[in-house]
Amino acid sequence: MILHGYWRSGTAYRTRIALNLKGLAYEQRGVDLRQGEQRSAAYLALNPQGLVPALEVDDLVLTQSPAILEWLEETRPEPPLLPKGTADRARVRAMAALVGCDIHPLNNLRALKALRQDFAADQAATDAWAGRWIASGFAALETLVSHHGHGWAWGETPTLADCYLIPQIYSARRFHVALDAYPRLLAIEAAAEAHPAFIAAHPDRQPDAD
């Protein structure tokens, strides 16, 4: 497996977590988004959308982290990142989508660059923009974890929801979002800080990190 990603990308981060939780070996190839490497002809041949991550497996190239994580769950089912019951699986997917669909797209690099370039937003304004969507999403996740979590977002072991949550907490800290109102999410962060799969996936530990 070859994972094309960027060390600080939340989508690449969540993919690394899932690969590590599954115990899968993979080579990393950095795509520096700041230098525009995602728009190179070589990378666009892999991923015409010009986004990270992209996962190469033999003759297969997979893009979009939700699709990659679902493919991993289907093809490498142990250890599982989704619970057994169909209703529970839907709830975990909903928690993941809360981050992946409703929080992350509004504070990713493309969105923030548009705020700066098209609307002259300064750093304080972009932090406030990101914080607005992170706070509303985290408030909902805090409630969901209170109903379903027992050490992790769902139950007693990591799931897809945690693969999405931990990178978003990392991003929240970059944008100086106050997190005291989310003690259950902070407890999950503490659990991740002691878990080998999450430790190895952390942006600071990646070969292309600053």
Side-chain angles (χ1 to χ4, degrees):
M1 292 186 177
I2 301 172
L3 177 65
H4 301 263
Y6 175 61
W7 64 283
R8 206 164 58 186
S9 160
T11 54
Y13 189 177
R14 71 177 67 137
T15 304
R16 293 193 301 267
I17 293 171
L19 288 164
N20 294 347
L21 287 169
K22 295 287 188 182
L24 299 171
Y26 57 97
E27 174 190 343
Q28 291 202 66
R29 294 187 185 171
V31 181
D32 194 331
L33 304 184
R34 296 166 300 183
Q35 301 300 319
E37 292 179 0
Q38 70 276 19
R39 296 188 295 274
S40 70
Y43 189 70
L44 288 173
L46 284 174
N47 183 356
Q49 195 177 11
L51 298 176
V52 295
L55 183 67
E56 287 189 81
V57 186
D58 299 323
D59 295 329
L60 178 67
V61 178
L62 299 170
T63 62
Q64 287 290 345
S65 61
I68 294 172
L69 269 60
E70 289 283 353
W71 179 85
L72 289 171
E73 185 70 0
E74 291 176 1
T75 61
R76 276 79 171 173
E78 297 297 332
L81 299 181
L82 286 169
K84 291 183 179 180
T86 55
D88 290 346
R89 294 165 77 89
R91 293 186 180 106
V92 170
R93 287 184 170 111
M95 295 170 81
L98 196 159
V99 174
C101 299
D102 297 331
I103 302 177
H104 175 263
L106 293 165
N107 60 243
N108 68 15
L109 182 61
R110 291 190 304 162
L112 298 180
K113 285 181 69 173
L115 286 174
R116 297 186 186 104
Q117 294 174 1
D118 299 344
F119 301 98
D122 60 12
Q123 189 61 51
T126 56
D127 285 356
W129 168 268
R132 171 182 178 177
W133 308 112
I134 292 170
S136 63
F138 276 10
L141 279 171
E142 181 76 9
T143 299
L144 291 170
V145 172
S146 73
H147 294 160
H148 305 297
H150 299 283
W152 295 93
W154 181 279
E156 299 176 353
T157 58
T159 65
L160 288 183
D162 303 289
C163 296
Y164 282 75
L165 173 61
I166 292 303
Q168 193 60 62
I169 293 178
Y170 171 83
S171 181
R173 294 194 181 281
R174 287 184 55 222
F175 296 117
H176 311 291
V177 178
L179 300 176
D180 293 345
Y182 319 112
R184 293 177 177 85
L185 304 190
L186 292 177
I188 296 169
E189 181 188 40
E193 288 174 346
H195 193 296
F198 289 85
I199 293 170
H202 193 279
D204 292 349
R205 292 177 174 265
Q206 304 319 303
D208 59 328
D210 287 348

